[in-house]
Amino acid sequence: MKQCLVVDDSTVIRKVARRILEDMGFEVVEAADGQQALDACLNKMPEAVLLDWNMPVMDGMEFLQKLRTLEAGAAPVVVFCTTENDMSHIVQAMNAGANEYIMKPFDKEIMEAKFQEVGLI
Amino acid sequence: MITSEYEFLRGFLKSRSGLVLSNEKQYLVESRLVPVARRHDLASLSELINSLRKPGTKQLQEDVVEAMTTNESFFFRDKTPFEHFKEEMLPKLLEKRAARKKIRIWCSAASTGQEPYSLAMILRENKIKTSSYQFDILGTDISKEVLDKARLGQYSQFEVQRGLPIQMLMKYFTQQGEIWQVSNDLRAMVQWKFLNLLENFSHLGEFDIVFCRNVLIYFDQPTKIDILNRLAKLIPADGYLVLGAAETVVGLTDQFEPVPHMRGLYRPKQSAGKQPEPQKMANSLKAEPISARPAVGKPHVPSFSSPATNTPATQNTMRTNSASAPDKPQKFDREKLNASLDSLRRLNAQSSNKG
Ligand SMILES: C[S@@+](CC[C@H](N)C(=O)[O-])C[C@H]1O[C@@H](n2cnc3c(N)ncnc32)[C@H](O)[C@@H]1O
């Protein structure tokens, strides 16, 4: 079973994402900020990361940059999922090595479409 | 709404747009038509239906037809047809139209425009291969409202996230507040027209590819058969018909046959002894605008004289390029581009001479 790490400081978002991702056949691991996510990745590298941008402790961008320097850190497919919905943020995220980008609010259809886009399902 | 009123509406819609409503769709009719009644200052659906029966209520009639259409669409819907476009139809047609250098595509139920714009994006993504050709993309629909939206090319955040890869969003859209605007380059590639598929469309001329997706499902058998048979008259023997995931020609017409291993993709029946298609077309379509079309079946003689020199065709290519690249700051290496175009032409010439 593919593992998806859900990184978001909102428990509500994590819960919604978990439900959708489990329906899509993923095993879900949660993290509340970038640092927790990094620890989770060092413990076990997931196949996919659903990543919020603005979070306390370490934000999504910093996490992504650190992840990509890790050994095996190039492997996970990273899908940003954030309220930052302007072109400059999108460009910045993609340049930093994100694979897809979801602008909140999202729903099951968008999540499925985006995960399909990057070959995760 | 009493039964006789519902029956009247069913008959009205069937004859106007082909839409077949089953018995238990009353709720749908009510939810869609109550707002129309309100807009026309009619107190109830019964009043709306009474007005429909009267002559001189053209606007109301159109609004009713329009309100009952289902316009759902999204970018690269179902993916496969667009892969078939890129991997099968496009390469084959680039080869077969190497002399004519013109390829015509019709999205015959284009709705809010995602389908034609998806095709336009694929063409732009394959610019090197396609830029010496003229592509006509026509999007038509029975609903003027969706056509207006398609023409504007403005989509919500939700709409640009269903099926559209983020790279495509970055490349072909600009953001205007809440709205995502399709680039002028793509908009210039598509033409929009009001068209009811129940009515004659032979005046549109011949199309190498017809997308007719997710519209036949609303019609009854005789209507589907009629439309498919009339589409067959517009598609040359080496052209294609693309249907939606829940649609087929099987059991409806023998004018088309499935392209093997390509779900949803059909081509005119390749029956032995069939008159070469362009000839037939020229006879049956008086209004056909392309008169100097070479016949399929005979090898195409490419119109350029020497691939090594800078022929008018090449110059034309460069013009197309510069004219269509205003919002892409990408620079072209002229020589490299010319070189690859030349080798492409040579390839085309070889394969079409082989027949
Ligand atoms: C579900 S949409 C399909 C859009 C697109 N082809 C796709 O597959 O995503 C169906 C469209 O067919 C149009 N339509 C319905 N009846 C029609 C008719 N008689 N002639 C032309 N278009 C029609 C509707 O207005 C609607 O926009």
Side-chain angles (χ1 to χ4, degrees):
Chain A
M1 201 188 239
K2 282 186 185 165
Q3 197 185 74
C4 183
L5 175 62
V6 175
V7 193
D8 203 303
D9 57 341
S10 151
T11 48
V12 178
I13 295 282
R14 292 207 303 272
K15 209 182 244 167
V16 173
R18 171 186 283 277
R19 192 168 306 155
I20 295 174
L21 287 163
E22 283 179 350
D23 275 354
M24 284 159 55
F26 284 91
E27 181 199 333
V28 174
V29 178
E30 295 182 24
D33 61 56
Q35 187 56 55
Q36 282 185 19
L38 214 51
D39 294 343
C41 287
L42 287 168
N43 183 33
K44 182 181 185 294
M45 203 54 86
E47 274 83 12
V49 181
L50 188 74
L51 183 62
D52 188 18
W53 195 304
N54 295 307
M55 289 176 292
V57 189
M58 184 194 291
D59 71 13
M61 183 51 75
E62 193 181 340
F63 161 79
L64 176 59
Q65 285 159 345
K66 293 217 159 97
L67 171 73
R68 291 310 191 204
T69 64
L70 292 182
E71 201 184 327
V77 172
V78 175
V79 179
F80 255 105
C81 184
T82 166
T83 47
E84 300 294 352
N85 64 355
D86 57 289
M87 196 64 104
S88 61
H89 277 89
I90 298 176
V91 173
Q92 203 186 330
M94 299 309 286
N95 285 342
N99 301 85
E100 254 297 345
Y101 199 103
I102 295 173
M103 295 174 266
K104 286 175 184 167
F106 63 94
D107 61 8
K108 192 170 184 229
E109 272 166 6
I110 289 178
M111 191 87 102
E112 277 179 352
K114 290 292 187 178
F115 272 58
Q116 217 170 29
E117 212 50 69
V118 287
L120 279 166
I121 51 169
Chain B
M1 202 173 10
I2 56 172
T3 312
S4 66
E5 290 172 338
Y6 187 61
E7 284 310 310
F8 170 79
L9 257 181
R10 279 173 66 172
F12 172 82
L13 289 163
K14 167 92 186 5
S15 71
R16 289 309 175 94
S17 69
L19 177 67
V20 173
L21 285 176
S22 58
N23 254 324
E24 59 295 355
K25 286 283 168 68
Q26 291 224 12
Y27 74 93
L28 179 78
V29 171
E30 281 169 18
S31 69
R32 298 241 183 125
L33 293 189
V34 165
V36 178
R38 213 168 284 147
R39 252 189 291 143
H40 284 263
D41 284 327
L42 299 162
S44 64
L45 279 190
S46 299
E47 258 188 47
L48 179 141
I49 287 156
N50 278 336
S51 303
L52 274 187
R53 294 181 201 258
K54 289 182 206 142
T57 51
K58 193 161 170 283
Q59 189 59 51
L60 178 67
Q61 296 180 7
E62 277 178 18
D63 288 356
V64 167
V65 166
E66 219 170 274
M68 290 309 300
T69 58
T70 300
N71 312 113
E72 188 182 57
S73 188
F74 35 97
F75 291 102
F76 299 98
R77 181 176 193 170
D78 299 338
K79 281 223 165 66
T80 341
F82 298 95
E83 273 154 29
H84 291 163
F85 177 67
K86 195 171 94 192
E87 312 291 343
E88 168 76 16
M89 298 180 246
L90 201 50
K92 292 253 165 78
L93 285 169
L94 286 174
E95 191 183 313
K96 286 172 172 158
R97 301 291 178 268
R100 193 199 302 170
K101 293 235 171 286
K102 181 172 176 171
I103 293 172
R104 301 190 75 215
I105 304 167
W106 177 24
C107 293
S108 62
S111 189
T112 36
Q114 285 93 330
E115 191 177 83
Y117 284 135
S118 299
L119 296 172
M121 281 184 252
I122 294 174
L123 291 179
R124 276 294 174 264
E125 290 293 297
N126 292 275
K127 205 163 182 172
I128 302 287
K129 276 183 264 166
T130 58
S131 60
S132 66
Y133 290 73
Q134 180 189 331
F135 282 89
D136 290 351
I137 307 178
L138 175 67
T140 65
D141 203 280
I142 199 176
S143 162
K144 289 178 179 152
E145 199 181 322
V146 296
L147 282 173
D148 284 343
K149 181 176 156 105
R151 202 174 278 122
L152 270 177
Q154 298 184 341
Y155 298 94
S156 70
Q157 180 170 303
F158 183 76
E159 288 167 317
V160 296
Q161 297 207 85
R162 285 182 78 190
L164 188 69
I166 197 74
Q167 284 84 1
M168 298 285 188
L169 181 73
M170 290 161 66
K171 233 168 161 172
Y172 299 107
F173 290 74
T174 54
Q175 193 177 18
Q176 297 173 359
E178 300 283 284
I179 281 167
W180 292 87
Q181 170 71 60
V182 173
S183 74
N184 287 334
D185 172 38
L186 287 195
R187 285 175 70 200
M189 292 173 73
V190 188
Q191 282 194 310
W192 308 98
K193 248 191 205 134
F194 169 87
L195 189 120
N196 184 348
L197 283 168
L198 297 192
E199 285 162 19
N200 177 29
F201 45 66
S202 64
H203 57 280
L204 296 178
E206 185 178 282
F207 290 95
D208 303 296
I209 301 174
V210 176
F211 276 70
C212 186
R213 299 170 68 221
N214 303 304
V215 64
L216 294 181
I217 32 168
Y218 300 105
F219 305 152
D220 65 5
Q221 294 280 98
T223 310
K224 288 181 200 180
I225 292 170
D226 171 55
I227 293 172
L228 286 170
N229 286 338
R230 285 186 293 124
L231 286 177
K233 296 206 174 103
L234 299 191
I235 305 177
D238 52 4
Y240 299 91
L241 169 71
V242 188
L243 298 182
E247 295 157 335
T248 181
V249 303
V250 177
L252 294 174
T253 176
D254 56 7
Q255 299 288 309
F256 290 101
E257 62 185 20
V259 176
H261 315 298
M262 305 254 159
R263 215 167 146 256
L265 189 58
Y266 301 86
R267 61 186 180 201
K269 189 127 195 167
Q270 320 279 301
S271 53
K274 198 178 173 185
Q275 202 184 356
E277 216 60 22
Q279 217 51 49
K280 192 183 101 196
M281 295 304 302
N283 296 341
S284 66
L285 283 176
K286 297 263 151 55
E288 163 62 281
I290 317 151
S291 49
R293 195 181 334 93
V296 186
K298 276 192 246 162
H300 290 167
V301 183
S303 54
F304 57 94
S305 44
S306 156
T309 57
N310 216 9
T311 61
T314 320
Q315 284 155 15
N316 192 24
T317 301
M318 295 317 295
R319 219 179 306 134
T320 321
N321 263 331
S322 50
S324 53
D327 44 17
K328 278 216 287 178
Q330 203 181 342
K331 262 204 220 126
F332 282 94
D333 181 336
R334 264 178 115 93
E335 268 180 19
K336 219 163 142 191
L337 180 67
N338 278 341
S340 39
L341 282 172
D342 279 344
S343 39
L344 181 73
R345 283 205 198 90
R346 241 172 273 155
L347 243 160
N348 284 337
Q350 276 167 12
S351 41
S352 58
N353 282 337
K354 264 184 257 151

PDB file of all heavy atoms in Angstrom, chain B residues 202-214:
ATOM      1  N   SER B 202     -23.840  20.508 -42.931  1.00  0.00           N
ATOM      2  CA  SER B 202     -22.933  20.192 -44.041  1.00  0.00           C
ATOM      3  C   SER B 202     -22.183  21.436 -44.540  1.00  0.00           C
ATOM      4  O   SER B 202     -21.101  21.331 -45.093  1.00  0.00           O
ATOM      5  CB  SER B 202     -23.707  19.549 -45.186  1.00  0.00           C
ATOM      6  OG  SER B 202     -24.633  20.480 -45.701  1.00  0.00           O
ATOM      7  N   HIS B 203     -22.753  22.628 -44.279  1.00  0.00           N
ATOM      8  CA  HIS B 203     -22.104  23.854 -44.738  1.00  0.00           C
ATOM      9  C   HIS B 203     -20.780  24.121 -44.016  1.00  0.00           C
ATOM     10  O   HIS B 203     -20.001  24.960 -44.437  1.00  0.00           O
ATOM     11  CB  HIS B 203     -23.038  25.042 -44.515  1.00  0.00           C
ATOM     12  CG  HIS B 203     -23.455  25.191 -43.074  1.00  0.00           C
ATOM     13  ND1 HIS B 203     -24.455  24.436 -42.520  1.00  0.00           N
ATOM     14  CD2 HIS B 203     -22.971  25.960 -42.082  1.00  0.00           C
ATOM     15  CE1 HIS B 203     -24.589  24.759 -41.240  1.00  0.00           C
ATOM     16  NE2 HIS B 203     -23.690  25.687 -40.950  1.00  0.00           N
ATOM     17  N   LEU B 204     -20.534  23.408 -42.916  1.00  0.00           N
ATOM     18  CA  LEU B 204     -19.280  23.634 -42.185  1.00  0.00           C
ATOM     19  C   LEU B 204     -18.074  23.092 -42.940  1.00  0.00           C
ATOM     20  O   LEU B 204     -16.945  23.452 -42.655  1.00  0.00           O
ATOM     21  CB  LEU B 204     -19.340  22.968 -40.800  1.00  0.00           C
ATOM     22  CG  LEU B 204     -20.388  23.507 -39.824  1.00  0.00           C
ATOM     23  CD1 LEU B 204     -20.351  22.718 -38.529  1.00  0.00           C
ATOM     24  CD2 LEU B 204     -20.141  24.985 -39.536  1.00  0.00           C
ATOM     25  N   GLY B 205     -18.330  22.207 -43.903  1.00  0.00           N
ATOM     26  CA  GLY B 205     -17.233  21.647 -44.671  1.00  0.00           C
ATOM     27  C   GLY B 205     -16.670  20.401 -44.040  1.00  0.00           C
ATOM     28  O   GLY B 205     -17.251  19.839 -43.117  1.00  0.00           O
ATOM     29  N   GLU B 206     -15.512  19.985 -44.548  1.00  0.00           N
ATOM     30  CA  GLU B 206     -14.921  18.719 -44.131  1.00  0.00           C
ATOM     31  C   GLU B 206     -14.041  18.889 -42.891  1.00  0.00           C
ATOM     32  O   GLU B 206     -13.366  19.901 -42.744  1.00  0.00           O
ATOM     33  CB  GLU B 206     -14.077  18.210 -45.297  1.00  0.00           C
ATOM     34  CG  GLU B 206     -13.482  16.853 -45.115  1.00  0.00           C
ATOM     35  CD  GLU B 206     -12.706  16.427 -46.358  1.00  0.00           C
ATOM     36  OE1 GLU B 206     -13.361  16.018 -47.348  1.00  0.00           O
ATOM     37  OE2 GLU B 206     -11.474  16.518 -46.349  1.00  0.00           O
ATOM     38  N   PHE B 207     -14.081  17.898 -42.008  1.00  0.00           N
ATOM     39  CA  PHE B 207     -13.226  17.932 -40.808  1.00  0.00           C
ATOM     40  C   PHE B 207     -12.401  16.665 -40.699  1.00  0.00           C
ATOM     41  O   PHE B 207     -12.919  15.565 -40.865  1.00  0.00           O
ATOM     42  CB  PHE B 207     -14.071  18.091 -39.538  1.00  0.00           C
ATOM     43  CG  PHE B 207     -14.688  19.447 -39.421  1.00  0.00           C
ATOM     44  CD1 PHE B 207     -15.975  19.667 -39.871  1.00  0.00           C
ATOM     45  CD2 PHE B 207     -13.961  20.514 -38.900  1.00  0.00           C
ATOM     46  CE1 PHE B 207     -16.552  20.927 -39.793  1.00  0.00           C
ATOM     47  CE2 PHE B 207     -14.524  21.776 -38.803  1.00  0.00           C
ATOM     48  CZ  PHE B 207     -15.820  21.979 -39.248  1.00  0.00           C
ATOM     49  N   ASP B 208     -11.120  16.824 -40.408  1.00  0.00           N
ATOM     50  CA  ASP B 208     -10.243  15.670 -40.237  1.00  0.00           C
ATOM     51  C   ASP B 208     -10.527  14.962 -38.922  1.00  0.00           C
ATOM     52  O   ASP B 208     -10.329  13.764 -38.797  1.00  0.00           O
ATOM     53  CB  ASP B 208      -8.783  16.134 -40.294  1.00  0.00           C
ATOM     54  CG  ASP B 208      -8.488  16.863 -41.584  1.00  0.00           C
ATOM     55  OD1 ASP B 208      -8.585  16.208 -42.645  1.00  0.00           O
ATOM     56  OD2 ASP B 208      -8.209  18.078 -41.546  1.00  0.00           O
ATOM     57  N   ILE B 209     -10.959  15.739 -37.936  1.00  0.00           N
ATOM     58  CA  ILE B 209     -11.280  15.161 -36.625  1.00  0.00           C
ATOM     59  C   ILE B 209     -12.571  15.806 -36.117  1.00  0.00           C
ATOM     60  O   ILE B 209     -12.688  17.031 -36.119  1.00  0.00           O
ATOM     61  CB  ILE B 209     -10.168  15.432 -35.600  1.00  0.00           C
ATOM     62  CG1 ILE B 209      -8.833  14.834 -36.074  1.00  0.00           C
ATOM     63  CG2 ILE B 209     -10.543  14.865 -34.231  1.00  0.00           C
ATOM     64  CD1 ILE B 209      -7.646  15.185 -35.178  1.00  0.00           C
ATOM     65  N   VAL B 210     -13.498  14.969 -35.687  1.00  0.00           N
ATOM     66  CA  VAL B 210     -14.698  15.492 -35.035  1.00  0.00           C
ATOM     67  C   VAL B 210     -14.789  14.926 -33.622  1.00  0.00           C
ATOM     68  O   VAL B 210     -14.786  13.709 -33.433  1.00  0.00           O
ATOM     69  CB  VAL B 210     -15.982  15.150 -35.815  1.00  0.00           C
ATOM     70  CG1 VAL B 210     -17.212  15.623 -35.036  1.00  0.00           C
ATOM     71  CG2 VAL B 210     -15.958  15.779 -37.199  1.00  0.00           C
ATOM     72  N   PHE B 211     -14.802  15.808 -32.660  1.00  0.00           N
ATOM     73  CA  PHE B 211     -15.099  15.410 -31.277  1.00  0.00           C
ATOM     74  C   PHE B 211     -16.603  15.574 -31.078  1.00  0.00           C
ATOM     75  O   PHE B 211     -17.134  16.668 -31.267  1.00  0.00           O
ATOM     76  CB  PHE B 211     -14.340  16.287 -30.272  1.00  0.00           C
ATOM     77  CG  PHE B 211     -12.936  15.842 -30.015  1.00  0.00           C
ATOM     78  CD1 PHE B 211     -11.957  15.977 -30.982  1.00  0.00           C
ATOM     79  CD2 PHE B 211     -12.583  15.283 -28.792  1.00  0.00           C
ATOM     80  CE1 PHE B 211     -10.650  15.553 -30.746  1.00  0.00           C
ATOM     81  CE2 PHE B 211     -11.285  14.863 -28.543  1.00  0.00           C
ATOM     82  CZ  PHE B 211     -10.313  14.994 -29.517  1.00  0.00           C
ATOM     83  N   CYS B 212     -17.262  14.488 -30.727  1.00  0.00           N
ATOM     84  CA  CYS B 212     -18.703  14.558 -30.457  1.00  0.00           C
ATOM     85  C   CYS B 212     -18.918  13.792 -29.152  1.00  0.00           C
ATOM     86  O   CYS B 212     -19.374  12.664 -29.145  1.00  0.00           O
ATOM     87  CB  CYS B 212     -19.482  13.944 -31.609  1.00  0.00           C
ATOM     88  SG  CYS B 212     -21.260  14.132 -31.438  1.00  0.00           S
ATOM     89  N   ARG B 213     -18.527  14.428 -28.071  1.00  0.00           N
ATOM     90  CA  ARG B 213     -18.437  13.697 -26.805  1.00  0.00           C
ATOM     91  C   ARG B 213     -19.487  14.145 -25.803  1.00  0.00           C
ATOM     92  O   ARG B 213     -19.710  15.331 -25.593  1.00  0.00           O
ATOM     93  CB  ARG B 213     -17.046  13.891 -26.195  1.00  0.00           C
ATOM     94  CG  ARG B 213     -15.932  13.371 -27.083  1.00  0.00           C
ATOM     95  CD  ARG B 213     -14.587  13.804 -26.545  1.00  0.00           C
ATOM     96  NE  ARG B 213     -14.282  13.158 -25.299  1.00  0.00           N
ATOM     97  CZ  ARG B 213     -13.710  13.767 -24.271  1.00  0.00           C
ATOM     98  NH1 ARG B 213     -13.415  15.044 -24.322  1.00  0.00           N
ATOM     99  NH2 ARG B 213     -13.453  13.092 -23.175  1.00  0.00           N
ATOM    100  N   ASN B 214     -20.092  13.137 -25.187  1.00  0.00           N
ATOM    101  CA  ASN B 214     -21.031  13.362 -24.099  1.00  0.00           C
ATOM    102  C   ASN B 214     -22.202  14.253 -24.487  1.00  0.00           C
ATOM    103  O   ASN B 214     -22.633  15.112 -23.730  1.00  0.00           O
ATOM    104  CB  ASN B 214     -20.281  13.926 -22.875  1.00  0.00           C
ATOM    105  CG  ASN B 214     -19.159  12.989 -22.441  1.00  0.00           C
ATOM    106  OD1 ASN B 214     -19.405  11.831 -22.179  1.00  0.00           O
ATOM    107  ND2 ASN B 214     -17.931  13.487 -22.428  1.00  0.00           N
TER     108      ASN B 214
END
